[in-house]
């Protein structure tokens, strides 16, 4: 491989493609045509001698080489930005990636001017950290990624949210058996919270029904307030006025993790952002 043939322009374009995993949106952001972007990505893959992405039906995913290329491109861009910031006496803003629920109920203290924010689900948060688009990510993890450093920020019980006058609200804590026959407001079937909840209810032999499927804690709470059904949410979610939350003692606690690349453990952009996150954590 001739390293002199590695184009910094192609690397920068590939980093944008890696953010979207969609040629149309990436080309629009770069203000070039889709064929031109295809050529840049193909030539970069040929130069590196590795495929950079795979196609699964209509879905694209980065290969390990693609993640490494995107990470290198982001690192190169960060080095240039750091050089220019030092030259002009300014500081580069850290970037945080997290999901809607984490921003709304956990990370309010760190959302401020001077911190760049990326909003995405768990896979997008992990991808943002792996490719260097984000300095730190925050997510609920079932399995810790082998290639990233993950530390627990906070742990919360899972709770049932219901109207304050609901019969179950009289109990200080609940078990899964108390949910027998309940109509539950749940995320779509493929979501990790839905999958884990269904598995637990099935193991406990608890019959239940779907009241409505809803994306995100705020919409789920809205439906609870309207009397559509009950909802199981993470304990960091503050109930809306007129609603109460009760811990479900036989559901596992949920841990939010902070994620960063191991090689950046001493990077001030990472360490300062982690300190700010810990200092600003919201209580449930």
């Amino acid at each position: 491989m001739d390293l002199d043939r590695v184009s910094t322009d192609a690397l920068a374009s590939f980093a944008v493609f890696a953010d979207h995993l969609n040629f149309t949106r990436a080309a629009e952001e770069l203000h070039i045509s889709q064929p031109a972007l295809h050529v840049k990505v193909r030539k970069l893959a040929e130069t590196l001698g590795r495929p950079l992405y795979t196609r699964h039906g209509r879905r694209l995913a980065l290969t390990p080489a693609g993640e490494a290329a995107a990470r290198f491109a982001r690192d190169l861009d960060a080095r240039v930005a750091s050089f220019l910031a030092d030259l002009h006496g300014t500081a580069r803003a850290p970037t945080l990636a997290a999901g809607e629920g984490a921003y709304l109920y956990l990370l309010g203290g760190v959302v401020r001017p001077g911190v760049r924010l990326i909003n995405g689900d768990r896979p997008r948060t992990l991808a943002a950290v792996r490719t260097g688009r984000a300095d730190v990510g925050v997510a609920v993890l079932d399995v810790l990624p082998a290639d990233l450093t993950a530390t627990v920020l906070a742990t919360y019980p899972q709770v049932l949210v219901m109207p304050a006058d609901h019969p179950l609200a009289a109990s200080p804590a609940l078990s899964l058996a108390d949910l027998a026959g309940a109509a539950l407001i749940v995320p779509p079937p493929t979501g990790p919270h839905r999958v884990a909840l269904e598995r637990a209810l099935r193991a406990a032999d608890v019959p239940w029904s779907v009241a409505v499927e809803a994306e995100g804690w705020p919409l789920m709470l809205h439906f609870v307030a309207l009397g559509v059904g009950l909802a199981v949410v993470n304990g960091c979610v503050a109930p809306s006025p007129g609603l109460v939350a009760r811990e479900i003692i036989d559901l596992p606690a949920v841990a939010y993790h902070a994620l960063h690349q191991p090689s950046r453990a001493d990077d001030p952009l990472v360490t300062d952002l982690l300190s700010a996150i810990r200092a600003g954590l919201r209580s449930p």
Side-chain angles (χ1 to χ4, degrees), residues 43-126:
K43 287 187 174 180
L44 180 62
E46 290 173 353
T47 301
L48 297 176
R50 295 288 188 279
L52 301 179
Y53 69 91
T54 57
R55 184 181 295 274
H56 306 278
R58 299 181 63 182
R59 186 176 66 87
L60 304 182
L62 295 181
T63 63
E67 289 183 351
R71 185 164 54 247
F72 176 75
R74 289 290 177 190
D75 183 61
L76 187 62
D77 181 64
R79 288 174 180 270
V80 172
S82 179
F83 166 72
L84 293 175
D86 290 342
L87 194 65
H88 295 284
T90 59
R92 185 169 78 86
T95 301
L96 172 64
E100 177 189 59
Y103 280 128
L104 288 175
Y105 303 109
L106 189 72
L107 301 171
V110 80
V111 177
R112 63 180 189 273
V115 178
R116 296 174 57 195
L117 306 175
I118 296 173
N119 175 223
D121 58 13
R122 183 189 307 175
R124 287 182 63 84
T125 294
L126 290 170

Side-chain angles (χ1 to χ4, degrees), residues 25 47-48 51-52 76 130 160 214 222 254 256-257 262:
R25 291 197 294 269
T47 301
L48 297 176
L52 301 179
L76 187 62
R130 285 184 171 122
L160 182 71
H222 178 67
V254 174
Y256 284 83
H257 292 78

Side-chain angles (χ1 to χ4, degrees), residues 164-182:
D165 60 356
H166 192 280
L168 292 178
S171 302
L174 304 170
S175 68
L176 284 171
D178 294 316
L179 275 60

Side-chain angles (χ1 to χ4, degrees), residues 210-273:
V210 175
V212 65
E213 293 179 350
E215 283 273 16
W217 304 135
L219 185 56
M220 292 174 69
L221 294 187
H222 178 67
F223 283 141
V224 175
L226 292 177
V228 174
L230 312 180
V232 177
V233 303
N234 295 348
C236 61
V237 178
S240 310
L243 304 180
V244 297
R246 297 290 182 262
E247 179 180 353
I248 304 174
I249 58 175
D250 45 357
L251 281 180
V254 174
Y256 284 83
H257 292 78
L259 304 149
H260 63 82
Q261 294 176 22
S263 62
R264 301 188 61 194
D266 298 322
D267 186 332
L269 284 172
V270 171
T271 57
D272 291 351
L273 186 52

Side-chain angles (χ1 to χ4, degrees), residues 169-197:
S171 302
L174 304 170
S175 68
L176 284 171
D178 294 316
L179 275 60
L184 298 179
I185 300 159
V186 291
T190 57
H193 178 76
R194 170 76 174 271
V195 171
L197 179 60

